[in-house]
Amino acid sequence: MTNKNQDPESRLGHDPLEWLEEDDDDLVPADAFDESSAEGNSSNASPSNDTASIDAQEQEQEQEQEQEQEQEQGIEPEDTAIDNFSLDGSKGVLTLPDRLMVQIAEDFHANLCAIAKIEVLAELSIDAKKIEDIDTAGVQLLYALVQHLNKKQCTVHIKNTPAVLSKVFQVSGLAEFFEKETHAE
């Protein structure tokens, strides 16, 4: 039972922070630590971090300059090494791989981004004759490409559509979209 007449400190039996009071003599006053000593210490502690960040900044600048030069010159398929793609004037032909699955989605996406950046592209024909297997990642990539190119006023055609691709479009509820937006043949 507690005695209500006791002060709060004695109710606990001890002050949990009393160790701080005892060591006050050893503590450095807060105003003794200034920012200039902190800067000096941090710069001496990690000089390699500074050079690493400078190197990273230089690499970023070089990449930006290269991208600007590519944009000024116009992107050509030969320059971007787009797999299974050819460009003849303003008409492009993309041949889809036999498997358009999540395992290759990242590389395929990079190729599609490069195709989408081609400013002179007015018509894209997607040849789907090789498709044997496609999953939702592949469907999403095709959907995004068609939408993006249509917004850029680029006509998209899907030709040689195999039964497996038609079935996936139908099951995903996108058959009507692909028929309408791609002028499927």
Side-chain angles (χ1 to χ4, degrees):
M1 305 277 196
T2 61
N3 185 353
K4 292 184 180 184
N5 294 335
Q6 288 181 334
D7 64 333
E9 205 171 285
S10 62
R11 283 187 200 160
L12 294 174
H14 74 282
D15 180 8
L17 302 177
E18 74 183 341
W19 63 273
L20 286 175
E21 295 170 4
E22 293 172 1
D23 294 336
D24 278 349
D25 297 334
D26 297 336
L27 296 177
V28 178
D31 59 343
F33 184 77
D34 65 350
E35 292 178 12
S36 62
S37 65
E39 291 172 4
N41 290 341
S42 66
S43 65
N44 291 338
S46 59
S48 62
N49 287 344
D50 292 340
T51 55
S53 65
I54 291 171
D55 290 343
Q57 289 173 352
E58 288 175 358
Q59 287 177 349
E60 286 179 24
Q61 289 174 349
E62 288 175 9
Q63 288 175 350
E64 288 174 7
Q65 288 174 351
E66 288 174 8
Q67 289 174 353
E68 288 173 7
Q69 288 174 354
E70 286 177 357
Q71 289 175 353
E72 289 172 4
Q73 296 170 358
I75 297 175
E76 294 296 323
E78 299 80 32
D79 296 339
T80 57
I82 301 170
D83 295 334
N84 302 316
F85 178 76
S86 62
L87 182 66
D88 184 19
S90 64
K91 295 181 180 183
V93 176
L94 172 65
T95 304
L96 297 178
D98 58 346
R99 293 177 44 98
L100 191 49
M101 308 290 282
V102 70
Q103 292 85 355
I104 66 161
E106 187 175 355
D107 292 334
F108 190 68
H109 179 258
N111 287 339
L112 296 183
C113 287
I115 291 170
K117 290 180 182 178
I118 299 172
E119 293 180 21
V120 298
L121 187 64
E123 185 178 334
L124 177 65
S125 179
I126 300 174
D127 189 350
K129 68 182 173 199
K130 291 183 180 180
I131 288 283
E132 294 174 5
D133 202 5
I134 185 169
D135 65 4
T136 55
V139 173
Q140 288 173 338
L141 289 170
L142 288 176
Y143 179 82
L145 176 69
V146 170
Q147 269 195 323
H148 181 77
L149 291 178
N150 281 337
K151 286 179 184 176
K152 289 178 55 176
Q153 304 302 317
C154 178
T155 306
V156 180
H157 301 278
I158 296 182
K159 62 181 186 177
N160 301 323
T161 307
V164 67
L165 187 58
S166 296
K167 185 175 181 179
V168 169
F169 287 163
Q170 209 166 31
V171 169
S172 65
L174 295 172
E176 190 174 308
F177 168 82
F178 280 104
E179 285 175 15
K180 181 179 126 191
E181 298 295 328
T182 64
H183 314 285
E185 298 174 11

